[in-house]
Amino acid sequence: MKDRAVIPGDVAMLSLAAATLVWSVTRACLQSVTMDEAMTYRALVAPVSPNYWTPHSNNHLLNSILIRLTTTIFGPSQLSLRLPALTGACLYIGSCLYLCRVAIVRAPLQFAVFACLLLNPFVADLYVAARGYSFALGFLMCAVALAAHARFRNGDPLKI
């Protein structure tokens, strides 16, 4: 990808990214803690000696460690419980933005693909859930974006 000036399509994509993040933070603050999130916190994170290495379907190691960190710093709340998930959502959103800018030339198509990646309801629900799925999505999309960067680094993006 060659250096280029900011164009209106970039502003639209950045605006959509910001709106998606604000929407996710709002959901994280307002949505009740689910049974899975509460179980993860009470059984794996909150004990004096955390059970990080316990094999359990709710125990996503990185997420459990980061929940312990955020709830220790900010106290237990819906938002502090979900801050690690929101971090994964930021990674996902940033990777999607980079992927669309690297792989697609036409601004309307960039925006359309970016909107589909961000606003998919099956994916958007995972931005907030304190389960570790947002990190999985973020790291996966980061790997895809890095592969696209390697493929299109010579400035020859898809001509679609």
Side-chain angles (χ1 to χ4, degrees):
M1 183 175 80
K2 295 182 178 159
D3 291 333
R4 59 188 173 109
V6 175
I7 57 173
D10 292 336
V11 173
M13 287 179 26
L14 290 172
S15 298
L16 179 60
T20 303
L21 192 56
V22 167
W23 173 62
S24 297
V25 170
T26 303
R27 280 189 64 202
C29 292
L30 298 178
Q31 183 173 309
S32 297
V33 173
T34 66
M35 186 174 162
D36 286 345
E37 293 170 323
M39 186 274 177
T40 298
Y41 179 74
R42 290 193 44 112
L44 303 168
V45 176
V48 174
S49 178
N51 301 319
Y52 297 138
W53 303 110
T54 302
H56 194 277
S57 61
N58 277 14
N59 190 15
H60 302 245
L61 184 64
L62 177 61
N63 191 57
S64 296
I65 291 170
L66 291 175
I67 289 174
R68 173 76 175 218
L69 177 68
T70 58
T71 55
T72 300
I73 294 170
F74 301 112
S77 71
Q78 289 145 311
L79 182 61
S80 65
L81 186 70
R82 294 175 174 144
L83 273 176
L86 292 170
T87 304
C90 289
L91 180 63
Y92 177 79
I93 292 167
S95 297
C96 288
L97 179 67
Y98 186 74
L99 174 66
C100 290
R101 288 201 61 197
V102 166
I104 303 170
V105 173
R106 294 179 19 212
L109 187 58
Q110 276 182 352
F111 183 79
V113 170
F114 187 61
C116 288
L117 289 170
L118 259 56
L119 302 177
N120 179 341
F122 299 110
V123 173
D125 194 43
L126 301 177
Y127 296 159
V128 190
R131 290 288 309 278
Y133 296 124
S134 66
F135 276 117
L137 284 170
F139 289 136
L140 174 66
M141 191 54 69
C142 190
V144 170
L146 290 174
H149 173 80
R151 165 64 176 87
F152 301 118
R153 71 175 150 224
N154 296 331
D156 187 28
L158 297 174
K159 302 293 189 222
I160 54 175

